[in-house]
Amino acid sequence: MNFVRIKDVNKYEGQEIKIKGWVYNKRSSGKLHFLQIRDGSAEIQAVAFKGDLPDEIFNLTDKITQETSVEIQGIVNKHERSKIGYEIALKDIKIIGESCDYPISPKEHGVDFLMQNRHLWLRAPRQRAILKIRHAIITSIRKFFDEEGFVLIDAPIFTPSACEGTTNLFETEYFDTKAYLTQSGQLYMEAAAMAFGKVYCFGPTFRAEKSKTRRHLTEFWMVEPEVAFNDIYDNMDLAENFLVYIVNYVLQNCKEELDLLERDISKLEKIKKPFARITYDEAIEILHKKGNETPWGEDFGGDEETLISEEFETPVMIYKYPAEVKAFYMKQDPDNKKLAMCVDVIAPEGYGEIIGGGQREENMNILLSKIKKHNLPEEAFDWYLDLRKYGSVPHSGFGLGIERTVAWICGLHHVRETIPFPRLMDRIRP
Ligand code: 4AD
Ligand code: MG
């Protein structure tokens, strides 16, 4: 007899089947023992009835502890009140692996304790719902770029130079020299866009963030499209289509998970085109009207982003920031040298910046002067400057942070639950 995955039990009504999984909860009432079993695909209840079973089997079901792994055999019966609609009338059970004193009991635990036990916490329904939504988001991203004719180009993790400033670089020895863990695959995508037109990379990126906020990880996953001949406005169109696609995909495929997380779906249903597009100057005006006195020229932090997002139901695209607060590669606004042709996309409901990107400087001389101005070592960027020497074209792209996107779509306060094994300033275990 083959094993059936729990999600497929509906195909076996009235038949005897075998299931393998973990007992996550147990309840007894005299002659009946109810085992709640999970196998990763779904959950089901197995009922052990004393009258139906040899004593040794019935007694064994009584001794089973939380998270014991088991192999069970029994008959599939309808059970309207359960989520899956069926239960199993137990005939036989074998213990695969015992579980003694499982630390995460069904009672409440503090976040620190749960994070310390992240390797076990992953089994909890809420954590599984979040990570299944993360999976769906990543699936939708790959589908979107496939359908749009992008080529996946993997960027390296060891890099010789900084993409996003030198303050949060992780440095490592690299034989006789130094290397940095990548902060972004962008510079490599620019090279690849000149070869393939439309490309993207998707991988882990690293930043030694010394701030403990609910939006920062030291290791996070970023997806970065880059398109030759796109200007900043084409780039905004791409970001808009991309986000609408992701949210729709999750709404269509993750109803059960969103429900478990008690996510207010009506908020996600409002994620439709067009998104609000405002300049940095207009964003400053909104802030001042709301009593936030950020002076012109300063970058926005979480507080400012939240205040601005309160004005809109869709994500809001803020473009043309002061060049001073942005990275060296940003194209200079042809109408105002002080501005960069960049765009940040701020999620609604206070989830902060989920996308950063813009048009890249394609002019060799301006780019070189920016590298010098940012005190970056020219020799590390010689290959990047080549892209401006040999058939340079206008081009644009952006980076979407997966964890912040998961936090927004799931409605989570902190990014630590959006990645299987979070790396934070004060956490590198498990
Ligand atoms: O705005 P950032 O720094 O942009 C770049 O890295 C560009 N080179 C991307 C590009 O144009 N190809 O980062 C992009 C996004 C942010 O909007 C945010 O969602 C996420 O990456 N992000 C972080 N997520 C979690 N923890 C951190 N420490 C993050 N830093 C950035
Ligand atoms: Mg940014």
Side-chain angles (χ1 to χ4, degrees):
M1 193 188 294
N2 285 331
F3 290 94
V4 173
R5 291 207 88 198
I6 296 174
K7 71 172 171 52
D8 298 325
V9 291
N10 60 334
K11 297 176 194 146
Y12 297 87
E13 193 181 337
Q15 298 179 42
E16 190 157 322
I17 61 162
K18 280 184 178 174
I19 284 174
K20 287 182 192 179
W22 293 262
V23 177
Y24 64 91
N25 212 345
K26 194 183 73 186
R27 195 160 58 79
S28 294
S29 68
K31 293 196 170 102
L32 290 167
H33 295 150
F34 302 93
L35 305 179
Q36 312 297 330
I37 299 174
R38 172 194 87 236
D39 73 350
S41 75
E43 290 106 55
I44 199 163
Q45 159 169 294
V47 187
F49 175 51
K50 193 168 163 55
D52 271 354
L53 294 170
D55 280 352
E56 77 209 67
I57 303 275
F58 185 74
N59 294 339
L60 184 63
T61 60
D62 191 32
K63 291 203 191 84
I64 282 179
T65 50
Q66 191 190 348
E67 289 304 319
T68 298
S69 49
V70 294
E71 179 184 311
I72 66 161
Q73 192 167 328
I75 295 170
V76 179
N77 291 324
K78 266 227 162 335
H79 183 59
E80 301 294 351
R81 272 180 302 131
S82 65
K83 199 166 80 189
I84 191 149
Y86 296 89
E87 64 178 17
I88 307 274
L90 194 85
K91 292 278 177 199
D92 197 8
I93 184 162
K94 289 193 187 77
I95 290 180
I96 302 174
E98 288 179 353
S99 167
C100 189
D101 299 327
Y102 187 68
I104 307 180
S105 58
K107 70 166 197 208
E108 290 265 311
H109 295 280
V111 171
D112 256 359
F113 176 83
L114 291 168
M115 290 297 280
Q116 197 64 12
N117 287 287
R118 181 69 176 165
H119 51 298
L120 302 175
W121 193 24
L122 292 181
R123 303 180 189 192
R126 203 182 129 79
Q127 299 309 312
R128 281 186 292 126
I130 295 167
L131 293 180
K132 278 178 92 170
I133 292 175
R134 178 184 170 105
H135 167 77
I137 289 172
I138 292 171
T139 303
S140 71
I141 287 170
R142 295 208 181 280
K143 263 171 74 70
F144 176 85
F145 286 126
D146 266 357
E147 287 166 17
E148 296 286 325
F150 281 69
V151 180
L152 172 72
I153 299 290
D154 301 310
I157 305 278
F158 285 132
T159 61
S161 50
C163 179
E164 294 300 320
T166 49
T167 53
N168 60 14
L169 276 175
F170 274 116
E171 192 180 295
T172 176
E173 275 171 33
Y174 193 77
F175 304 104
D176 297 336
T177 166
K178 279 181 198 159
Y180 308 105
L181 299 187
T182 184
Q183 297 167 305
S184 158
Q186 178 196 319
L187 308 186
Y188 298 96
M189 290 309 101
E190 290 185 53
M194 304 302 135
F196 299 90
K198 296 162 86 169
V199 297
Y200 76 102
C201 63
F202 179 51
T205 47
F206 307 86
R207 301 201 189 168
E209 305 280 4
K210 296 206 181 70
S211 54
K212 295 183 191 169
T213 79
R214 63 195 187 91
R215 291 174 183 155
H216 288 93
L217 293 157
T218 54
E219 179 178 310
F220 63 98
W221 285 66
M222 185 155 48
V223 56
E224 298 178 85
E226 191 72 31
V227 183
F229 306 107
N230 264 11
D231 67 14
I232 187 180
Y233 304 103
D234 302 323
N235 200 42
M236 289 197 245
D237 291 345
L238 179 66
E240 190 178 60
N241 288 332
F242 182 51
L243 288 174
V244 168
Y245 188 96
I246 295 172
V247 171
N248 265 334
Y249 186 90
V250 174
L251 281 172
Q252 276 168 24
N253 292 281
C254 303
K255 286 215 161 57
E256 204 180 292
E257 288 78 17
L258 291 167
D259 205 39
L260 190 144
L261 297 172
E262 297 176 359
R263 181 66 169 109
D264 179 353
I265 287 179
S266 69
K267 294 255 164 55
L268 295 177
E269 285 167 344
K270 293 195 176 119
I271 309 308
K272 297 210 169 84
K273 294 203 286 184
F275 294 177
R277 296 181 182 196
I278 60 172
T279 59
Y280 172 88
D281 287 8
E282 287 165 333
I284 285 280
E285 252 176 62
I286 291 176
L287 289 174
H288 290 182
K289 266 196 202 127
K290 299 188 89 165
N292 174 297
E293 273 154 25
T294 303
W296 195 99
E298 244 173 54
D299 203 0
F300 300 146
D303 291 346
E304 287 74 33
E305 288 167 3
T306 299
L307 282 172
I308 296 164
S309 74
E310 281 167 6
E311 301 296 295
F312 307 95
E313 284 183 329
T314 65
V316 49
M317 310 209 202
I318 308 179
Y319 62 107
K320 292 197 183 181
Y321 280 69
E324 289 270 323
V325 300
K326 290 292 178 185
F328 75 96
Y329 54 71
M330 302 282 187
K331 182 177 171 62
Q332 180 172 297
D333 181 353
D335 301 325
N336 182 349
K337 270 186 166 187
K338 284 204 164 122
L339 301 178
M341 300 296 270
C342 62
V343 55
D344 279 0
V345 183
I346 314 297
E349 303 173 72
Y351 289 98
E353 179 202 322
I354 48 174
I355 283 182
Q359 191 168 341
R360 323 305 188 185
E361 184 55 71
E362 80 264 24
N363 178 291
M364 172 83 176
N365 293 331
I366 302 179
L367 186 59
L368 194 57
S369 73
K370 289 281 178 65
I371 288 174
K372 286 184 182 140
K373 201 165 166 203
H374 281 79
N375 283 324
L376 294 166
E378 213 179 300
E379 58 293 353
F381 292 95
D382 56 351
W383 67 271
Y384 184 65
L385 288 161
D386 271 356
L387 305 176
R388 277 70 183 169
K389 262 197 238 165
Y390 305 111
S392 187
V393 300
H395 60 288
S396 302
F398 60 79
L400 169 88
I402 296 297
E403 289 73 19
R404 291 192 193 171
T405 306
V406 176
W408 162 46
I409 291 179
C410 291
L412 308 176
H413 178 71
H414 199 292
V415 290
R416 66 187 156 218
E417 288 177 64
T418 63
I419 182 164
F421 296 99
R423 297 290 172 251
L424 298 155
M425 191 184 168
D426 54 358
R427 182 168 303 282
I428 194 168
R429 180 197 179 275

